[in-house]
Amino acid sequence: AVIRWELIENATGSIPMSLVEMLIFWFSVLLLMFGLLTPSNTTVNTVMIACAFSIAAGIFLILEMSQPLQGYVKVSSAPLDKALEHLGR
């Protein structure tokens, strides 16, 4: 049953890589412009690093959730197996 759902998931398209590349480019330009237009001090540098990490985490979660049965964040197949067990009776 799990193999069937993995085949269905792989057959459907995930997020286009061109969209991810566009997001990365856009955020890079945005952070670069903020970095160039602000005075350089410890507070600004800390905030810029925190923003970069949060953007990276957001893109990571977008990519992880586009494939729910694979990767670091997985959806459990136990409820599906339990439902199939009840349907088979």
Side-chain angles (χ1 to χ4, degrees):
V2 175
I3 296 172
R4 179 175 160 225
W5 282 107
E6 285 182 11
L7 288 173
I8 291 171
E9 178 198 347
N10 290 337
T12 59
S14 62
I15 296 174
M17 284 310 291
S18 60
L19 176 66
V20 174
E21 291 168 357
M22 177 98 94
L23 275 173
I24 292 171
F25 174 75
W26 184 67
F27 282 131
S28 298
V29 168
L30 192 65
L31 282 176
L32 179 69
M33 288 297 115
F34 281 144
L36 289 176
L37 296 176
T38 57
S40 181
N41 59 33
T42 307
T43 305
V44 171
N45 291 338
T46 305
V47 169
M48 294 298 283
I49 290 171
C51 288
F53 279 128
S54 66
I55 289 170
I59 291 174
F60 173 75
L61 285 176
I62 289 170
L63 292 175
E64 279 293 308
M65 289 299 161
S66 69
Q67 299 174 350
L69 298 177
Q70 301 169 356
Y72 291 109
V73 182
K74 293 181 185 178
V75 175
S76 174
S77 63
L80 177 63
D81 293 336
K82 185 111 173 149
L84 288 174
E85 180 183 313
H86 285 290
L87 287 174
R89 289 186 194 180

